[in-house]
């Protein structure tokens, strides 16, 4: 009887300690400031769907934060369920609501493909082998038939050597075959730095087997400056026919304050149905700029972004017909080397400017949000992120914003 009483008391004490701990955590989280996005120019309706993400530091404690036009959400204030939904990609949450069983345990937006008939999924998982208990990467493959609501799933080992890490870059369903593009990292004895290569894996879904493993960018090419062009918006419901790569030339310093490159930047397109990597012809004006530009791709649009004395220049290059279809300069100046978070969506350009967006940065300026019209270059909105309470002194070091999302 005493043993049972001791166990009960121990459980009660644990509950009290855990409750007190989380109570302190909640109180501390509530001490963090509430922020608002103050409109400086333009109409507030322009930023109603904008969310800014980052973290806040206070007294040695950091917590993730999401700031919108009407609320400040701290991760430490959310329940476990809220953390899974509020901070996940909205497109993933939509898929989970519509296809709960198939989506269980699936979270990586880059691992999905969706069209009118199917949802496909491919992810790599590091797990022990059933044969010798050594760890190795395997593919988890899934396919959901939207008409019948029936799905298949299977697991296949990643062929070849043991990789240090594998990141899925893109998944596409091409002529009933699943194409999975990955960046594979390998241990290297050279300066203790990992080498990497880009693979395209082709799967036969009907027979649940791997048909082909093709290395389209080698470690040597990666070291020469080859890499993928970041996607402006990863949307599984927008099937793509290709994936875009860039080769940046090595920048050679020619003296203090000056630099030049030995060759031009080059763009490559890997076309899925042709299993072919081809060079995209670019105007000379773009190849010069792309040595140091921010570059993004969305569908067949390649965005090239540079900063100069006039502001932020954004050029749209259409890959299918290989022509410049838009070229605008927005009055957003950046005198440093800092790369600003940028989103292009619905004929709008969203720019989150942190420290460095003004030449005179001694006044501890808050982060600013700029929204421009893509076709015309007209500024539609300008705002700044500040504490809601006027008596709270703003400190840029305590608030770090690193991304923009448009719902």
């Amino acid at each position: 009887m005493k043993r049972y009483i001791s166990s009960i008391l121990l459980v009660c004490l644990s509950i009290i300690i855990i409750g007190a701990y989380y109570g302190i955590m909640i109180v501390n989280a509530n001490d963090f400031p509430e922020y608002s996005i103050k409109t400086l120019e333009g109409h507030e309706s322009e930023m109603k769907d904008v969310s800014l993400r980052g973290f806040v530091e206070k007294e040695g404690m950091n917590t993730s934060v999401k700031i919108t036009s009407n609320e400040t959400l701290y991760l430490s204030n959310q329940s476990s369920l809220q953390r899974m939904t509020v901070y996940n990609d909205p497109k993933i949450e939509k898929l989970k609501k519509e296809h709960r069983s198939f989506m269980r345990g699936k979270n990586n937006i880059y691992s999905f493909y969706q069209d009118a008939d199917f949802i496909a999924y491919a992810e790599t998982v590091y797990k022990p082998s059933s044969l010798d208990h050594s760890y190795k990467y395997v593919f988890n493959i899934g396919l959901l038939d939207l008409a019948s609501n029936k799905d298949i799933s299977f697991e296949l080992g990643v062929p070849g050597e043991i990789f240090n890490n594998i990141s899925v870059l893109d998944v596409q369903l091409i002529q009933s075959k699943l194409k999975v593009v990955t960046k594979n990292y390998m241990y290297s004895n050279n300066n203790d730095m990992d080498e990497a290569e880009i693979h395209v894996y082709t799967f036969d879904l009907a027979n649940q087997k791997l048909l082909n493993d093709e290395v389209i960018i080698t470690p040597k090419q990666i070291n020469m400056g080859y890499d993928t062009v970041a996607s402006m918006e990863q949307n599984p419901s927008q099937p793509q026919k290709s994936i875009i790569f860039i080769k940046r030339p090595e920048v050679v310093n020619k003296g203090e304050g000056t630099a030049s490159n030995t060759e031009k930047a080059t763009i490559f397109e890997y076309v899925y149905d042709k299993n072919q990597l081809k060079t995209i012809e670019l105007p000379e004006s773009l190849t010069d700029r792309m040595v140091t530009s921010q570059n993004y791709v969305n569908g067949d649009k390649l965005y090239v972004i540079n900063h100069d004395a006039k502001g932020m220049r954004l050029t749209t290059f259409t890959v299918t017909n290989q022509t410049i279809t838009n070229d605008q300069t927005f009055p957003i100046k950046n005198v440093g080397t800092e790369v600003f978070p940028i989103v292009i969506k619905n004929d709008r350009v969203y720019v989150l400017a942190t420290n460095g967006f003004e030449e005179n940065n001694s006044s501890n300026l808050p982060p600013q949000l700029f929204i421009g019209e893509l076709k015309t270059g007209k500024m539609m909105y300008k705002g700044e992120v500040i504490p809601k309470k006027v008596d709270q002194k703003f400190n840029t070091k305590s608030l770090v914003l690193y991304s923009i999302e448009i719902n």
Side-chain angles (χ1 to χ4, degrees):
M1 185 67 179
K2 289 183 180 180
R3 184 176 58 184
Y4 292 117
I5 293 175
S6 299
S7 300
I8 293 171
L9 289 174
L10 182 60
V11 170
C12 291
L13 183 60
S14 301
I15 293 173
I16 292 171
I17 292 172
I18 293 171
Y21 171 78
Y22 281 103
I24 292 171
M25 291 292 289
I26 291 172
V27 170
N28 288 339
N30 287 335
D31 288 339
F32 283 101
E34 294 285 311
Y35 291 95
S36 65
I37 305 175
K38 179 183 176 181
T39 299
L40 302 177
E41 299 174 14
H43 199 278
E44 292 183 0
S45 61
E46 288 286 342
M47 46 81 64
K48 63 182 177 65
D49 295 326
V50 176
S51 299
L52 308 178
R53 291 182 185 267
F55 64 87
V56 175
E57 178 184 355
K58 186 177 181 182
E59 297 175 355
M61 179 180 175
N62 287 352
T63 187
S64 298
V65 65
K66 176 180 178 180
I67 301 171
T68 67
S69 59
N70 54 21
E71 64 180 348
T72 303
L73 297 174
Y74 284 102
L75 183 64
S76 52
N77 275 353
Q78 309 300 311
S79 67
S80 298
L81 181 60
Q82 287 173 322
R83 294 182 192 188
M84 294 174 61
T85 57
V86 173
Y87 284 83
N88 276 354
D89 191 298
K91 293 182 284 293
I92 291 290
E93 291 308 311
K94 183 175 184 294
L95 288 173
K96 286 188 174 183
K97 288 180 181 179
E98 296 172 351
H99 311 284
R100 188 173 300 276
S101 177
F102 177 75
M103 289 295 299
R104 188 173 293 112
K106 300 178 175 69
N107 295 296
N108 183 8
I109 189 68
Y110 291 92
S111 292
F112 286 94
Y113 166 92
Q114 182 181 9
D115 59 24
D117 302 311
F118 299 100
I119 297 177
Y121 177 83
E123 182 62 291
T124 58
V125 180
Y126 195 57
K127 61 183 300 184
S129 168
S130 58
L131 298 176
D132 56 8
H133 302 292
S134 63
Y135 278 79
K136 194 174 182 181
Y137 276 95
V138 298
F139 282 106
N140 281 343
I141 307 294
L143 182 72
L144 175 65
D145 187 319
L146 295 175
S148 66
N149 202 35
K150 294 182 179 180
D151 67 274
I152 60 169
S153 62
F154 58 94
E155 182 181 285
L156 290 174
V158 176
E161 62 184 285
I162 297 177
F163 296 104
N164 181 25
N165 188 34
I166 301 178
S167 299
V168 175
L169 304 178
D170 194 27
V171 175
Q172 298 293 324
L173 191 59
I174 307 292
Q175 299 172 356
S176 75
K177 302 294 188 293
L178 193 68
K179 299 280 187 176
V180 182
V181 185
T182 66
K183 189 170 186 178
N184 297 17
Y185 297 86
M186 302 159 289
Y187 291 108
S188 171
N189 294 325
N190 183 19
N191 297 325
D192 295 326
M193 293 181 65
D194 291 345
E195 290 187 337
E197 57 191 18
I198 308 293
H199 288 242
V200 177
Y201 297 94
T202 304
F203 293 90
D204 180 346
L205 296 174
N207 296 300
Q208 301 186 13
K209 66 179 183 179
L210 176 66
L211 295 178
N212 191 38
D213 170 14
E214 180 183 6
V215 178
I216 61 172
I217 304 291
T218 66
K220 182 178 179 180
Q221 289 173 314
I222 294 285
N223 293 333
M224 291 169 58
Y226 286 75
D227 207 350
T228 53
V229 177
S231 177
M232 178 56 69
E233 181 185 21
Q234 192 68 18
N235 192 342
S237 62
Q238 293 180 352
Q240 306 294 330
K241 70 180 185 68
S242 63
I243 185 170
I244 305 296
F245 298 90
I246 184 173
K247 179 188 181 295
R248 293 183 189 271
E250 181 182 2
V251 176
V252 181
N253 292 320
K254 279 195 169 184
E256 189 175 350
T258 63
S260 68
N261 58 287
T262 57
E263 54 182 306
K264 306 293 184 182
T266 310
I267 292 293
F268 301 92
E269 179 185 27
Y270 183 86
V271 183
Y272 289 121
D273 62 354
K274 296 181 179 179
N275 300 318
Q276 181 183 15
L277 188 68
K278 65 178 184 178
T279 303
I280 301 296
E281 297 297 329
L282 294 174
E284 188 172 346
S285 60
L286 283 187
T287 59
D288 290 336
R289 288 171 52 198
M290 291 184 73
V291 176
T292 57
S293 64
Q294 286 178 254
N295 306 300
Y296 301 96
V297 65
N298 191 3
D300 69 338
K301 299 292 189 295
L302 173 67
Y303 300 111
V304 180
I305 303 167
N306 299 85
H307 294 270
D308 57 27
K310 295 181 180 179
M312 187 187 81
R313 185 178 180 185
L314 195 160
T315 303
T316 306
F317 179 80
T318 304
V319 175
T320 50
N321 55 23
Q322 300 189 14
T323 58
I324 293 176
T325 52
N326 194 34
D327 191 5
Q328 303 293 341
T329 298
F330 299 87
I332 306 171
K333 296 183 180 180
N334 176 19
V335 298
T337 58
E338 185 172 0
V339 175
F340 295 154
I342 296 174
V343 172
I344 301 172
K345 188 173 183 178
N346 301 328
D347 192 39
R348 291 290 188 268
V349 183
Y350 302 84
V351 181
L352 174 61
T354 53
N355 288 345
F357 70 88
E358 293 285 356
E359 188 168 2
N360 179 15
N361 192 35
S362 60
S363 57
N364 204 31
L365 293 170
Q368 292 200 353
L369 173 66
F370 297 89
I371 304 176
E373 190 173 52
L374 180 62
K375 291 181 181 179
T376 65
K378 179 182 178 182
M379 293 305 302
M380 307 300 294
Y381 180 86
K382 179 181 177 181
E384 62 181 9
V385 182
I386 59 174
K388 284 187 177 181
K389 293 182 180 180
V390 294
D391 61 338
Q392 286 180 324
K393 184 178 178 181
F394 185 83
N395 182 0
T396 54
K397 292 183 179 180
S398 67
L399 173 64
V400 177
L401 298 176
Y402 51 74
S403 70
I404 316 174
E405 292 179 0
I406 314 302
N407 299 328

